[in-house]
Amino acid sequence: MTDTMQYGDDAAEEFRGSVREWITENAPPELTGVFDWRTREIPGYRVEQIVEAKRHPAHVEWERRCVEGGFVCPLWPVAAGGRGWNRVQKAIFEEELHAAGVPRIDRGMGEFLVGPTIVARGTAEQQARLLPPIISGQHRYCQGFSEPEYGSDLAGLQTRGAVDGDELVVTGQKIWTSGAVDANMIFLLCRTDPAAAKHRGLTFAVAEFGPHNGFDVRPIRQMSGAYDFAEEFISGARTPLSNVIGGLGEGWSVAMTTLGLERDFNLPTLSLDFLHEFGRMADRVRESGRNSDPVVRQTLARAWSHVAIMRMFAKRLLADEEGTADMVSSTKLFWSEYHRWVSTEDLDLDGAAGMLRPAGDGYPTTPIQDSFLAARAATIYAGTSQIQRNIIAERVLGLPR
Amino acid sequence: MPIDTRAPLLAAPEHEDLRRALRRFLTSAASVTRARAHAEGEEFDRAVWLRLADELGVTGLGIPEEFGGVGFGLTEQAVVLEELGRELYGGPYLASVVLGAAALLAAGDRAAQEKLLPGIAAGETVATLAAAGVDGEWRVGGPTGVVAREREGGWVLDGSCTHVPDATVADVLLVLADTEQGRGLFVLPAGSPGLSVADLSALDQTRRFSRVELRGAAAECAGTPGDGDRVLAAVLDRAAVALGAEQLGGAARCLELAVEYAKVRHQFGEPIGRFQAIKHLCADMYLAVESSRSAVMFASRALDEETAEAGAAASLTKAWCSDAFLQCAGDAMQIHGGIGYTWECDVQLYFKRAQSSKHLFGGPAHHRDTLAARLGL
């Protein structure tokens, strides 16, 4: 029987060969030792160490070469400054980076959320003006959707946007803003027509981010000890109307475009990182001699099973772009619940020793403790596990709302 | 161990054609209603079996062309088994086409293959394999209850074997027995003198198991005496994935039954499917089904292509699909409420099949331990 999938065929292998060659020629040799980049996609994973590792000269040089070589935002259309790669090509590129032990240079929310939203919903002028600074790294975005009272029920948000001449003036409060500490741009939803129905009257805009533009940023300390996100009190932040994406009052449908992207995560690479993480756990078990403990063996077998299935989910997603929307909630639920479980099992292996942290300022933790704590975020963000189950039940299984 | 996903993957259009044709046939001629009748004593319907073989060609799928088959692999057979599992089909597909054919192929005895495989491929010969240990567990190196002795240039079998699937309808039995040179695979036709077959009372009445008694029954050795453990190991990996595919079908059908019922059953003035407690059970069932599907796709490809992780994939699949099927059958019963606990509701048939299949060819804990060993732990 024939196979309709491109992944693994001659063209894909030729592509694999060409990117491998480029990586070999361009990746600074000392970069692999700077950080264990093979765990980088695992959410919340040692965020502060990653930020520090990115400042290393080898990483700075690698970033410069990737920008020059056109390997940043490669999924964007060629006209938008990308390579127009499909997801299989992206997966192959990332597999090769993973194999080489070097990171993909990504632009975070700018690359995965704002850019594709502007490509889909922005004007030609907006695309020409707003996309290149994302690729170069000049614009670093954070997301201003959630508010203290409106998280899962996003459409009720209350931050006001008033039109003043050719500017939008934004006043209100946002919270759970990932990447706020490092960002200089924000994409946000605000209510421009309070008289309109809940889902109408919302507007999607990008704005300069920081105290100079009315954003009073207060980092929120997470229970892991890290400061990955912040809340902002917004008083009269201004942005030109030319920064409104999709038009005034069209914010909800634009945000749906963005949120669709948010759930379309990085499963091919993420699953490879989980496999790498599993390997480290298995090594630890072998070194401690606990591989003969039947309970531990059951746990490790369950863990590998989850990762293998995740790899297959990734392949199915790559093979079937049409059916992806149906599966994205399932795979997000699957990996986030898995990681919450396995990181607990991993720390349990440490027993009473896991009760103690390394000494030091702040709240330093071991990588296993960090994983245990950070894993709790992923079943909450980008749609809680409960919301994902509602989506599966209603959209996939057709149960009544 | 790396998890190789470079091999191409996707359900080919031909698979979906096969699936549609089979589903149409089973719904009309061998639905769960027939499985219930079979459970309550109806005889094996050989006419339906032969139509499955002739009209749909499913019995020859995994058998090489040189032996009268189509020459496809487990990947294609998995589609068939999933569909059979949806309707709890009671015929000897697993016994004859999976166990029987796999044992003959693994044993590598050309004469036995030429003699038996064409009939198995055509559905005209029904084979089964007696290889469970005395405790009913299918396990390489487990204690077998059958001894084979050489006598007058041939072999004679003595002892008994339990948990033999579909032995009452089999035309030929393959028996794993101990010899002085080690374990070997032996072949004897149904009705041989000294061979008797007795039906066992099973928790799951939709699949027939028998006890086979051998009192000086003459048999031929297939392959080499002493090679039996290797043969059984090869058979069990294929059987694990095949049964996993069947369990996937059962789990998927349980999810459908639950969702259909949740849409029409009203309480407090609305369909119970509007309550999040029900939605979340269904969503978790969906995840159990789709993760099982991923496991079956992974393992069937891995075995067909003989990749390094084929054994690990087989163990993973049997453990995973076993848990998933019982979860789905149990939750389907819960969602059906009182009616789900009745004899007349089909869900109970799936529930019993799920628990029974969970322990056929090794339970989940056994397979996870094997998986750990295969991962070098």
Side-chain angles (χ1 to χ4, degrees), chain A residues 1-78:
Chain A
M1 293 193 183
T2 56
D3 204 296
T4 57
M5 191 169 161
Q6 296 283 303
Y7 198 25
D9 67 9
D10 290 347
E13 290 314 307
E14 199 173 303
F15 175 83
R16 186 185 295 280
S18 73
V19 295
R20 180 181 297 169
E21 195 176 326
W22 189 85
I23 292 166
T24 310
E25 282 169 9
N26 287 278
E30 65 274 30
L31 182 58
T32 53
V34 173
F35 184 78
D36 186 356
W37 301 106
R38 292 189 179 103
T39 55
R40 208 191 119 207
E41 296 291 332
I42 297 175
Y45 206 92
R46 305 176 71 188
V47 173
E48 284 155 352
Q49 286 97 321
I50 291 176
V51 169
E52 194 179 316
K54 282 182 174 178
R55 294 199 191 103
H56 190 280
H59 187 277
V60 173
E61 174 60 18
W62 172 235
E63 178 173 354
R64 192 187 64 75
R65 290 182 190 178
C66 286
V67 172
E68 278 181 7
F71 287 95
V72 177
C73 304
L75 278 174
W76 291 9
V78 174

Side-chain angles (χ1 to χ4, degrees), chain B residues 47-106:
Chain B
V48 165
W49 171 254
L50 287 173
R51 287 181 66 197
L52 275 170
D54 287 343
E55 294 172 24
L56 293 138
V58 300
T59 45
L61 270 184
I63 294 172
E65 288 173 275
E66 58 180 317
F67 302 120
V70 188
F72 291 150
L74 209 43
T75 307
E76 290 75 23
Q77 279 189 317
V79 175
V80 176
L81 282 150
E82 185 188 340
E83 292 302 312
L84 298 178
R86 284 174 59 89
E87 301 295 343
L88 302 178
Y89 177 66
Y93 195 84
L94 203 56
S96 186
V97 179
V98 177
L99 296 175
L104 287 166
L105 287 168

